[in-house]
Amino acid sequence: VSIQSTNSNNTTIGITGDDVILTFTPEEPLLTDSIVVTIAGEPTILTQDGDNYIATLTLSGDEPGGILSYTIDFKDRAGNLGIQVISTTDDSYVNHDIIPPEILAVSIFSNNSDTTWAKPGDSVYVKFVANEELDNLNIIISGTSSDYLYDGPVTYSGYHIMDEDDDEGIISFNISYTDLGGETGPDADSTTDESIVRYDRTLPEVFNVRMASNNTMGDSAGIGDIDSVFFTATEAQRNVIVVISDSSLTPVQEGLGFIATRIMNGDDTDGGITFSITLEDSAGNSTGEVTETDDGSGVWFDGTPPLLNPVSFTSTNENDQGLAILGDTLYLDFTSNELLSSLSVFIAGLEADSIENQTRTPYRAWHVLDGSEEEGYIPFQIIFVDLVGNPGDTVVSTTDETSILFDITPPADFEIDTVYVSGGTV
């Protein structure tokens, strides 16, 4: 004894319109008129095929759901009543499915670090749970028929790898399906937890990139000056990295505008200050490294203090340039290794009377001795700053060991002790 349905998906399941076929073979000839077969309590159509009998019932939908019951009553040719048959010999059965399939829970997410966004190459998953096992799944994600994974009892995940052909914006989906018996359930095209995934395949950009310093010379910087990089993004970002002179910085943001700043120090390398900007939008699309300004601006860093060499100190004394008396002029000659923005010279504790070539090198400062100075070796002091504001070490000595001794004390009186005459007549 065996039972099955004509369901095209699964012969152990029957839905409205399917035929349920009960086939049996008696051990001895039967009185055909005595055979009565019911399925689900309803009479069947009985046919014979050789020694086999076939009882058929077309499901109307009024039959009870679940495993269909059946009975076979019969007599042999001698009129003996056989034992009623209510089970198969091969454990076959037909389950009458009267409950349509339904998707109960749906969510969508991506494998992006932010699961609500996707970029090209990301996978988008639509996960759903049904009220029963499903068949004939047709899952459309972003307009493309998608594969799916079976995640366990009545749980499935459709997935699609995003590419340049997919439309930007909120990703759409649709799920059509049947149950194992072929019964169609309502399509699912929205989530039950309000989850969404936005697709973004447009690379972000930065523009209005420029660099400046707070130095009075905006295109130069010295030790302690602040170098700033300004830029604007084309869209919202989830990550931005700015590097100035090998230091990673967090920029200050206002709207889509950014400013990154760095205080320059003595460990930084002299020359043009380098920078890079890398920005990722909300989906993780990157600008790549931006290393050039849009307006050609840049800042030159000078972290090297200026030097004076040679430095020489002489006087106009007629007898010895290393000596001086009242009225002599003292000359302090020196050369800088770079242009200076500030220069102060003091000779004998007084500001120099004048400095030649104040805006270029070499320099000459002088002072005329008027007696207000202290007698002895004349001190001097040179205070100087380069164009970007780096101060040089104050110079108080020469490089050629020259010096000036100021002498305002006349020699002591002397007497002639003895006069000797040699030769001639006195």
Side-chain angles (χ1 to χ4, degrees), residues 120 164 168 199-205 234-235 281 283 285-286:
E164 295 293 338
E168 291 187 300
Y199 179 53
D200 180 2
R201 53 180 166 79
T202 301
L203 296 180
E205 297 180 6
T234 55
E235 58 180 295
D281 64 17
N285 297 304
S286 176

Side-chain angles (χ1 to χ4, degrees), residues 314-324 328 403-405:
T314 59
S315 78
T316 58
N317 189 275
E318 295 178 354
N319 299 302
D320 189 338
Q321 289 184 329
L323 300 173
D328 284 347
S403 61
I404 299 173
L405 177 62

Side-chain angles (χ1 to χ4, degrees), residues 237-255:
Q237 93 295 335
R238 74 181 183 194
N239 189 33
V240 59
I241 299 173
V242 180
V243 177
I244 299 178
S245 193
D246 296 327
S247 292
S248 184
L249 305 166
T250 300
V252 175
Q253 180 178 359
E254 183 175 346

Side-chain angles (χ1 to χ4, degrees), residues 11 55 113 240 250 252 277 292 304 318 344 371 375-376 405:
T11 58
S113 59
V240 59
T250 300
V252 175
I277 304 167
E292 296 183 359
T304 303
E318 295 178 354
S344 298
E375 192 174 21
L405 177 62

Side-chain angles (χ1 to χ4, degrees), residues 118-398:
K119 66 181 185 302
D122 286 344
S123 295
V124 174
Y125 297 88
V126 177
K127 187 169 186 175
F128 52 98
V129 179
N131 64 339
E132 60 178 300
E133 298 293 338
L134 301 180
D135 199 2
N136 300 312
L137 281 164
N138 183 21
I139 304 171
I140 306 296
I141 301 175
S142 190
T144 301
S145 181
S146 304
D147 291 330
Y148 70 91
L149 303 171
Y150 181 68
D151 294 333
V154 301
T155 304
Y156 307 82
S157 292
Y159 62 92
H160 172 63
I161 300 174
M162 306 302 292
D163 58 38
E164 295 293 338
D165 294 329
D166 291 310
D167 293 333
E168 291 187 300
I170 296 177
I171 297 174
S172 63
F173 66 89
N174 187 78
I175 308 167
S176 60
Y177 55 95
T178 70
D179 61 16
L180 297 181
E183 188 76 23
T184 300
D187 286 3
D189 59 6
S190 61
T191 61
T192 56
D193 59 1
E194 300 184 353
S195 57
I196 60 171
V197 175
R198 289 181 175 86
Y199 179 53
D200 180 2
R201 53 180 166 79
T202 301
L203 296 180
E205 297 180 6
V206 293
F207 60 98
N208 291 338
V209 181
R210 62 186 180 90
M211 178 185 281
S213 80
N214 66 338
N215 192 281
T216 54
M217 301 176 64
D219 61 353
S220 300
I223 296 173
D225 286 339
I226 298 174
D227 181 66
S228 300
V229 175
F230 305 81
F231 60 96
T232 304
T234 55
E235 58 180 295
Q237 93 295 335
R238 74 181 183 194
N239 189 33
V240 59
I241 299 173
V242 180
V243 177
I244 299 178
S245 193
D246 296 327
S247 292
S248 184
L249 305 166
T250 300
V252 175
Q253 180 178 359
E254 183 175 346
L256 293 176
F258 299 83
I259 303 174
T261 60
R262 185 181 187 278
I263 299 175
M264 306 304 293
N265 60 65
D267 293 330
D268 293 317
T269 303
D270 285 5
I273 297 176
T274 60
F275 75 94
S276 67
I277 304 167
T278 305
L279 182 144
E280 290 184 353
D281 64 17
S282 299
N285 297 304
S286 176
T287 59
E289 279 197 352
V290 176
T291 59
E292 296 183 359
T293 59
D294 291 332
D295 60 359
S297 59
V299 173
W300 185 271
F301 175 63
D302 179 2
T304 303
L307 297 174
L308 301 183
N309 189 21
V311 179
S312 184
F313 196 27
T314 59
S315 78
T316 58
N317 189 275
E318 295 178 354
N319 299 302
D320 189 338
Q321 289 184 329
L323 300 173
I325 60 174
L326 288 175
D328 284 347
T329 301
L330 310 182
Y331 290 113
L332 185 58
D333 295 292
F334 52 95
T335 300
S336 173
N337 67 337
E338 60 180 297
L339 295 177
L340 303 177
S341 65
S342 175
L343 177 62
S344 298
V345 179
F346 297 87
I347 300 175
L350 303 172
E351 190 171 356
D353 296 337
S354 182
I355 302 176
E356 286 184 355
N357 301 335
Q358 183 119 12
T359 59
R360 59 187 176 86
T361 194
Y363 301 91
R364 165 169 279 190
W366 66 84
H367 173 69
V368 178
L369 293 170
D370 59 11
S372 63
E373 304 83 5
E374 293 184 3
E375 192 174 21
Y377 282 100
I378 301 293
F380 67 86
Q381 188 178 57
I382 307 173
I383 302 171
F384 57 105
V385 178
D386 67 14
L387 292 180
V388 298
N390 296 314
D393 292 334
T394 300
V395 173
V396 295
S397 62
T398 62

